[in-house]
Amino acid sequence: MESFLPIVGLSLGVSLASSALAAALGIPLAALLALTRFPGRGVLVVLVNALLGLPPVVVGLVLYLTLSRAGPLGSLGWLFTPLAMVLAQAILATPIIAALAHRALEACWRDYGRTMQAAGASRLRALPHLLRMARRPIATALLAGFGRTVSEVGAVLVVGGNIAGFTRTMTTAIALETSKGNLELAVALGIVLVGISVMISATVLVLTGARR
Amino acid sequence: MKFLLALFLALASLPASAATIVLASTTSVDNAGLLSRILPGFTAKTGIEVRVLAQGTGQALATAARGDADLVLVHDPEAEAEFIAAGHGARRVEIAWNDFVIVGPAADPAHIAGTKDVTAAFRAIAASATPFVSRGDKSGTDALEKRIWRETTIQPAGQPWYREIGGGMGAALNMAAATDAVTLTDRGTWLAFGNRRSLVELLRGDPRLINRYRVIELNPARHKSAKLAEAHILAEWLASPEGQAAIAAVTIAGETLFNPGVREIH
């Protein structure tokens, strides 16, 4: 087994980048769904919630076919690179962040929206205040998105290829070591992965003051 | 946000490295540790970095057929012939060989330990209804297993003792170890496997169990975007005296994993 730190580093890098990408897409989408009314909004809400259960291996397969040389985006050369893994995980995490943040913002808007509007704030101006008020449930939404990405194995295996030193993450390394019968090593890697996940969750919760 | 953008761009710039090729390889040569032990020497000498995709033979050939690999290293003569007939492959060179073995619980319920006839052993397994784990994943090992069953004229699929798992060699060995079942495995994966429990080698030495590994260079007319020049350098190196010596030097617990042996297949 090759050195351990690059695997941890790649896992964290890919998960953080994909969570950030998912947040950049999911939170604006959540705000749009919570604060505005437009035709097709109801359908979009149902769709976002339905995609919570998006099977990673299906996302991996569809992205694989898209990024493959024989596929529409093949010329980019992204297949079997960390970038493909970031895209796959962002697709998986975006509905989670959007759906949970939508509920949080919707509740805040219902409770304080009229007051804010009466005070002369537009929806756009009210948004930063709402985000601050809803920071704890939104932190939970981001952690749920991060949790999905850091623990995921099906999609990153298909689009990343589990290449040693390049696209091997904690989860694909655990799967590989299990398949080689190195169960002790697989369990050790699993403990490290859980430890990292707990540390990140704790940090975010402390920062947002949501310890209770 | 700027930090995240920088992170994203850093990830995006990773694939740009020039002399990097993707080798779609059967899992056995990778899991047994062959490639991770010989490729650093190749990279040091040529500057070409090799990214290894460890897949079953069927999947490795499919990956290359879609244009997503630059070279393949596989071990299923029938699937390889189809791949070449379909116009995907050009040159095919055998670079190493070892053998398949039947492994199973030391109690040996089918009484095949020490025998040398693989079809007779498969018949004994069926007759005694000894649990048998099949890869069922179109890998080279799976293809060989299915050919042997065809020779016995037994139809194992659907039998309660026959378990087709659709997984890699390691998964099959893990299941065999956990359920006291018999399975067919390549020697490399078996030697490197760390969770044997009561599994022991039961049968070896039938000439039908010789396991030949070949590299296939892709057809330049069909795979224009593949890095064929660098792939050719790797294929040549694997067959060179230096590459062959590197292959022969890889051992686990004193046993040679893969025997060198170069033969061009026409």
Side-chain angles (χ1 to χ4, degrees):
Chain A
M1 154 128 217
E2 70 272 17
S3 64
F4 185 68
L5 278 178
I7 298 181
V8 176
L10 183 73
S11 261
L12 280 177
V14 166
S15 304
L16 288 173
S18 54
S19 306
L21 189 60
L25 296 169
I27 290 181
L29 178 61
L32 198 69
L33 294 176
L35 305 188
T36 65
R37 294 290 176 270
F38 54 89
R41 181 188 157 279
V43 177
L44 204 54
V45 170
V46 171
L47 190 68
V48 165
N49 282 278
L51 291 180
L52 288 174
L54 206 53
V57 71
V58 174
V59 170
L61 183 61
V62 170
L63 198 61
Y64 173 85
L65 293 173
T66 310
L67 295 178
S68 166
R69 287 276 173 205
L73 298 181
S75 57
L76 295 174
W78 286 2
L79 190 65
F80 305 140
T81 68
L83 192 61
M85 298 155 77
V86 170
L87 288 180
Q89 299 202 325
I91 292 170
L92 289 168
T94 300
I96 294 175
I97 293 177
L100 294 177
H102 168 219
R103 289 295 170 228
L105 289 173
E106 189 183 47
C108 259
W109 182 243
R110 194 179 53 229
D111 293 347
Y112 302 105
R114 288 196 194 290
T115 322
M116 285 181 180
Q117 283 187 315
S122 68
R123 282 162 208 256
L124 201 60
R125 295 277 296 278
L127 186 58
H129 299 287
L130 286 173
L131 286 173
R132 197 161 55 238
M133 278 189 280
R135 67 184 184 277
R136 288 169 187 175
I138 285 177
T140 301
L142 294 177
L143 284 176
F146 176 77
R148 171 84 154 187
T149 62
V150 78
S151 62
E152 195 280 321
V153 61
V156 289
L157 191 58
V158 174
V159 301
N162 194 23
I163 297 169
F166 186 54
T167 58
R168 181 161 300 164
T169 64
M170 299 285 287
T171 54
T172 59
I174 291 167
L176 178 67
E177 293 306 329
T178 304
S179 82
K180 286 159 127 180
N182 297 333
L183 303 189
E184 291 85 357
L185 183 55
V187 170
L189 284 167
I191 291 169
V192 172
L193 180 60
V194 171
I196 289 170
S197 195
V198 167
M199 261 165 26
I200 288 182
S201 302
T203 309
V204 170
L205 292 182
V206 167
L207 287 179
T208 53
R211 270 165 293 180
R212 282 165 297 148
Chain B
M1 210 59 208
K2 265 186 191 159
F3 161 74
L4 293 167
L5 191 68
L7 188 67
F8 195 74
L9 289 175
L11 286 166
S13 64
L14 279 174
S17 157
T20 299
I21 58 172
V22 173
L23 170 66
S25 135
T26 165
T27 46
S28 45
V29 287
D30 190 51
N31 280 3
L34 178 75
L35 294 173
S36 63
R37 280 152 88 173
I38 67 169
L39 288 177
F42 170 76
T43 302
K45 183 178 178 179
T46 61
I48 298 170
E49 190 196 328
V50 185
R51 291 180 185 155
V52 179
L53 281 179
Q55 305 176 324
T57 292
Q59 197 189 352
L61 291 173
T63 301
R66 294 186 62 84
D68 298 321
D70 304 305
L71 189 69
V72 289
L73 172 54
V74 290
H75 67 147
D76 177 7
E78 286 177 13
E80 291 162 26
E82 273 174 39
F83 182 78
I84 287 170
H88 293 297
R91 193 159 159 263
R92 176 159 64 135
V93 180
E94 188 175 309
I95 56 129
W97 63 276
N98 57 17
D99 60 342
F100 294 97
V101 292
I102 296 179
V103 301
D108 187 23
H111 303 294
I112 55 173
T115 63
K116 295 236 176 274
D117 181 338
V118 69
T119 45
F122 271 37
R123 283 197 193 95
I125 289 163
S128 58
T130 303
F132 185 99
V133 177
S134 168
R135 297 274 297 271
D137 65 348
K138 291 199 172 182
S139 59
T141 309
D142 188 48
L144 173 71
E145 181 220 303
K146 300 289 192 286
R147 279 200 291 280
I148 297 169
W149 283 119
R150 278 204 299 276
E151 276 185 42
T152 65
T153 69
I154 294 166
Q155 297 275 346
Q159 302 284 345
W161 48 269
Y162 187 76
R163 294 160 194 168
E164 213 164 355
I165 63 163
M169 193 69 253
L173 285 169
N174 272 330
M175 182 174 285
T179 59
D180 282 341
V182 168
T183 193
L184 180 72
T185 173
D186 66 281
R187 179 173 299 282
T189 307
W190 169 243
L191 286 177
F193 188 68
N195 180 36
R196 295 183 181 184
R197 301 204 207 183
S198 75
L199 292 185
V200 295
E201 185 180 303
L202 293 174
L203 183 150
R204 68 189 292 181
D206 188 314
R208 282 168 291 190
L209 294 182
I210 288 185
N211 180 21
R212 301 177 188 283
Y213 292 92
R214 305 172 188 87
V215 285
I216 307 180
E217 292 184 50
L218 302 182
N219 179 0
R222 289 289 292 275
H223 295 285
K224 293 192 171 65
S225 57
K227 292 176 182 157
L228 298 178
E230 290 87 349
H232 178 68
I233 295 171
L234 176 57
E236 289 284 299
W237 182 82
L238 288 168
S240 71
E242 187 187 338
Q244 290 285 296
I247 291 170
V250 177
T251 58
I252 288 182
E255 274 204 74
T256 305
L257 284 178
F258 296 89
N259 309 296
V262 177
R263 194 161 60 102
E264 181 142 0
I265 318 244
H266 297 284

